Amino acid sequence: MAMFQTYYLFQDTVFSAMRHNPIARSMAKLRNEEQDDAQILVNQTGANQSLAALNPFKTTDTTDKPLESRDVLFDDPISKTRITLTLSAEAITKLQKSFDFGDFYERKDGILRLSGKAEAFVSGWFGDLAYKQNYMRADSDKNGKIEKDEWDALRGGFFSGGEYNATTLVEHEVAGYQKGGFYDTLNEALNALILSDADSNGHLMRFGEFQSVADAVQMIDSAISSGLNNKKLANKDLEQLTLEELEKLQKDLQAKLKEQQLLQKLKDSNAKLNLTNEEREMLQSMQALMSEDEQDLPQSPELDSVKDEIAMQMQYGALRLFEWRM
């Protein structure tokens, strides 16, 4: 049950697939690849007699496959090696409805080879999970499953932050790629993301794809209830807040709400602004604050490694900069 009467919540992208340029493969190339793979399998024995055994790392801890599921084959966007894993019947049906018929090649060994935009979509989400959400490194014992303290290295969680009083909650920050996650194998996570990305655009929006508004409210209420049970609000007992402090909190909430409305106006305007004087002053104040923050940044050689990391992430499509939030 909701604790507050009014919620102002952010709609934003929580996770994004890596950019991966579509590769259009000719029928002759696909057939040659299939023949080469058949020869590879002839030379394999026992449990290794599958293309999945050639993956650079495990994507699941089991060989059991759900009923009517299919193995699919696509290229890893980072290592450029091929990946074979299992998609559910629902995930494959969704892909086939979203992308061209020519993006799916039915092989004689039962594997569905992806090409074109369908491969770019699946490969992009695989890259997000393996590298940005860190499934590959988090699985330290390489058994294909995230367990025990490995969850701490995963970046598949979600954060929501805001301010509130007795009746109103105003969010001012939401962020994906937080510590933890929801799926214990990369294979399971990929199936989930394919189905959750409703419009198959490579971006998972918070509401309508990542979670419902009702789920968000329940999550927020649970977090705040936990805080209230500990009787902590800005390091003070709730009962000890003075009327003056409560009034200041209310004013802060109103200011946050106005900032949200201004950002939405900027996003909807497409640079054709019709701002009020108050909004112009607010925008100037926000710009001045950002300039001050930039001037206060410490100059240190230690930042070089951080810059290198950002450059690498941008190269791999793993970083999104300066996107307006609703």
Side-chain angles (χ1 to χ4, degrees):
M1 180 179 294
M3 293 175 54
F4 304 98
Q5 296 176 359
T6 308
Y7 291 79
Y8 296 97
L9 306 179
F10 270 131
Q11 168 72 314
D12 195 13
T13 302
V14 179
F15 299 105
S16 291
M18 281 188 172
R19 292 188 296 271
H20 184 59
N21 293 329
I23 301 173
R25 296 179 175 83
S26 67
M27 189 63 66
K29 187 171 183 177
L30 290 169
R31 287 171 179 164
N32 288 337
E33 180 185 57
E34 183 177 9
Q35 291 172 359
D36 291 342
D37 288 342
Q39 186 59 47
I40 291 174
L41 293 178
V42 167
N43 297 330
Q44 289 180 324
T45 58
N48 292 326
Q49 198 169 17
S50 71
L51 289 185
L54 302 178
N55 288 343
F57 57 93
K58 288 187 176 182
T59 63
T60 182
D61 65 331
T62 178
T63 57
D64 294 336
K65 299 177 182 179
L67 187 65
E68 299 182 356
S69 62
R70 292 279 303 275
D71 281 350
V72 298
L73 179 65
F74 57 89
D75 286 8
D76 181 330
I78 299 300
S79 69
K80 308 304 180 184
T81 57
R82 297 184 307 164
I83 301 294
T84 306
L85 50 69
T86 305
L87 293 184
S88 67
E90 293 80 7
I92 290 174
T93 297
K94 181 179 182 297
L95 291 174
Q96 291 175 331
K97 288 181 178 180
S98 301
F99 300 101
D100 294 339
F101 175 81
D103 289 350
F104 305 90
Y105 175 67
E106 296 277 356
R107 295 172 35 139
K108 294 179 181 179
D109 57 9
I111 293 176
L112 190 63
R113 198 353 168 167
L114 303 181
S115 291
K117 292 182 179 179
E119 179 184 24
F121 174 76
V122 174
S123 178
W125 275 125
F126 175 87
D128 174 75
L129 290 163
Y131 303 103
K132 291 160 63 180
Q133 295 191 38
N134 207 35
Y135 270 86
M136 183 180 70
R137 291 181 180 176
D139 182 18
S140 58
D141 59 6
K142 309 304 178 187
N143 70 345
K145 185 176 183 179
I146 303 300
E147 51 195 350
K148 300 178 181 178
D149 57 352
E150 291 176 340
W151 287 98
D152 290 337
L154 205 61
R155 292 295 179 266
F158 172 76
F159 169 80
S160 167
E163 299 177 56
Y164 61 94
N165 62 11
T167 61
T168 305
L169 181 138
V170 178
E171 281 188 337
H172 54 74
E173 180 182 10
V174 295
Y177 302 103
Q178 303 299 302
K179 181 183 291 188
F182 302 93
Y183 307 100
D184 59 10
T185 70
L186 192 155
N187 204 133
E188 181 184 3
L190 182 60
N191 274 274
L193 288 187
I194 289 173
L195 292 173
S196 297
D197 188 356
D199 51 8
S200 299
N201 69 347
H203 297 287
L204 201 65
M205 300 301 294
R206 180 192 183 178
F207 297 124
E209 293 183 326
F210 178 73
Q211 65 181 176
S212 67
V213 174
D215 288 340
V217 169
Q218 183 178 13
M219 179 188 75
I220 292 166
D221 280 353
S222 176
I224 295 174
S225 294
S226 177
L228 292 178
N229 288 337
N230 292 330
K231 296 183 179 180
K232 291 181 180 179
L233 179 61
N235 297 322
K236 291 189 177 182
D237 286 351
L238 184 62
E239 295 85 351
Q240 295 177 358
L241 289 178
T242 66
L243 178 60
E244 180 180 340
E245 289 172 325
L246 287 171
E247 289 176 349
K248 181 181 183 302
L249 181 58
Q250 178 66 30
K251 288 180 180 179
D252 290 342
L253 288 170
Q254 292 172 348
K256 291 290 183 183
L257 178 57
K258 287 182 178 180
E259 288 179 8
Q260 280 190 337
Q261 293 169 339
L262 174 56
L263 292 179
Q264 181 62 52
K265 197 168 187 176
L266 287 169
K267 185 174 183 178
D268 294 341
S269 67
N270 291 322
K272 297 178 180 178
L273 301 180
N274 183 23
L275 302 180
T276 66
N277 289 334
E278 181 186 9
E279 288 171 337
R280 291 183 186 279
E281 292 175 0
M282 186 184 304
L283 184 58
Q284 291 172 356
S285 176
M286 292 166 63
Q287 290 172 334
L289 183 60
M290 291 173 64
S291 297
E292 291 177 3
D293 289 343
E294 290 174 358
Q295 293 174 3
D296 292 339
L297 285 176
Q299 302 299 318
S300 170
E302 295 177 358
L303 291 178
D304 291 342
S305 62
V306 178
K307 293 176 182 177
D308 292 342
E309 176 68 16
I310 291 174
M312 182 198 72
Q313 292 187 43
M314 291 182 69
Q315 177 184 356
Y316 293 148
L319 194 67
R320 298 183 303 113
L321 300 177
F322 309 122
E323 292 192 2
W324 290 115
R325 287 179 173 143
M326 296 176 64

